[in-house]
Amino acid sequence: VCLLGVAAYGIASVREQAAAFHHAHTVIKRISHGDLPLDKAIATIRFDIVQVQQWLTDIAATQGKDGLDDGFAKAAVFATAFETDVAEARAIAERLSLDEIANALGHLKRAFDPYCSAGKATAEAYVTGGPALGNTRMSDFDVTAEKLTGEVDKLVALVEAEVGAGVASVDGVAASVSADLDRAITIFGILMAVAVGASSTYLTPIGHQSNLLVMGPGGYRFGDYWRMGLPLDILIVAVAVPLILMVWPF
C-alpha cells in the first residue's frame, strides 16, 4: 500500500511539474526570442534619436566652422538607422501579437519625422544666421521634441510592462515548482516512515509469515520473539528516523 501510495503521488507530482516546466519553457522562449530582442531594439531606437539631436546640436553650436561641418550628414545616418530599427521592432511586436506596442511604434515614427525636420531647420538657422535667427526656430523644435518624448515614454512603459510580465510569470512557475518539491519531500518522508514501521515485524510470531515459519522448527515460544525483536526494532527506529529526516526533511 505504501509503495502504491508513493508511486501514485510520484506520478501526479511528475505530471504537475512537467506541465509547470513546459509553461516555463514557453515563457522563457518568448522572453529570449521576443521580449528581450524587442527591449534591445527599443534601446537602439532611443539611441538613434539621441544621436540625431546630438549631431544637429553640434553643428548648430559650431555653425559648421573649422571643419566641423559633418553634423547634418551624421544626423541623416542615424535618422535612417531609426527608420530601420523601428521597422525591425515593429516586426517583432507583430510576431508576438503585441498590437499596442506595434501601434506605439507607428505613433513614434510619425512623431519623429516632424521632429527631425524641425531639428534640421533649426540647426540650419543657427549655421546661417547665428543665435539671432536660430532662436526664432527653437519654439517649433521644442513642440516636436516634446511630442516625440511623450511617444518614447509611452513605448518604453509598454515594453517594460511586457518584459516585467514575462519575468513575473517565470518567477511564479519557479515558486510553484519549489512548493511542489517541498510537498513531495514531506509526503515521501512520511510514507518512508510508514514503510519502515510496517516492516518492523519482529516482536511477535504473527508479525510476518517468516516469523511463524521458524517458530515450530526452532522450538520458539510466543514470548521469545520480543526478547530479540524489541532491541532490533529500537535499533531500526534509532537509525531510520534520523536518516529519513536527513534525506526527506519536513
Side-chain angles (χ1 to χ4, degrees):
V1 174
C2 291
L3 292 177
L4 288 175
V6 170
Y9 184 83
I11 292 172
S13 297
V14 168
R15 286 181 176 177
E16 290 180 3
Q17 292 172 20
F21 279 121
H22 177 72
H23 176 64
H25 173 73
T26 302
V27 173
I28 291 172
K29 184 177 180 181
R30 178 185 175 90
I31 292 175
S32 61
H33 291 82
D35 292 346
L36 291 182
L38 180 61
D39 188 54
K40 182 180 179 181
I42 299 305
T44 304
I45 289 171
R46 296 175 70 183
F47 177 76
D48 294 335
I49 295 172
V50 170
Q51 288 301 304
V52 169
Q53 182 180 10
Q54 181 64 48
W55 285 108
L56 292 177
T57 301
D58 285 351
I59 196 166
T62 62
Q63 295 184 296
K65 297 177 181 179
D66 300 325
L68 303 175
D69 57 352
D70 60 345
F72 291 117
K74 293 289 188 180
V77 169
F78 283 101
T80 302
F82 171 87
E83 299 286 343
T84 302
D85 294 332
V86 167
E88 291 179 358
R90 191 162 189 174
I92 295 173
E94 290 174 350
R95 176 165 55 83
L96 298 175
S97 299
L98 300 175
D99 297 334
E100 196 171 3
I101 292 178
N103 292 334
L105 285 164
H107 293 316
L108 179 66
K109 185 178 182 301
R110 287 191 290 273
F112 178 79
D113 292 337
Y115 165 83
C116 195
S117 298
K120 184 177 179 181
T122 302
E124 288 174 344
Y126 274 103
V127 171
T128 58
L133 181 60
N135 289 344
T136 61
R137 300 292 184 91
M138 281 300 297
S139 58
D140 294 336
F141 175 71
D142 288 342
V143 171
T144 59
E146 184 176 353
K147 184 176 181 180
L148 182 66
T149 300
E151 297 297 341
V152 170
D153 290 342
K154 291 177 184 177
L155 178 61
V156 171
L158 290 172
V159 173
E160 287 180 348
E162 170 64 22
V163 175
V167 173
S169 180
V170 173
D171 289 342
V173 171
S176 176
V177 171
S178 177
D180 287 340
L181 290 175
D182 288 342
R183 287 195 297 269
I185 289 173
T186 299
I187 294 298
F188 278 124
I190 293 173
L191 291 175
M192 186 55 66
V194 172
V196 171
S199 301
S200 302
T201 57
Y202 309 108
L203 289 177
T204 66
I206 60 175
H208 193 272
Q209 61 268 28
S210 298
N211 298 357
L212 193 59
L213 286 173
V214 300
M215 184 176 182
Y220 299 116
R221 293 176 298 174
F222 195 95
D224 293 332
Y225 283 83
W226 70 268
R227 294 188 182 93
M228 191 63 187
L230 182 60
L232 186 58
D233 281 345
I234 292 174
L235 178 62
I236 291 172
V237 171
V239 174
V241 171
L243 286 177
I244 290 172
L245 293 176
M246 185 184 304
V247 179
W248 297 283
F250 291 87

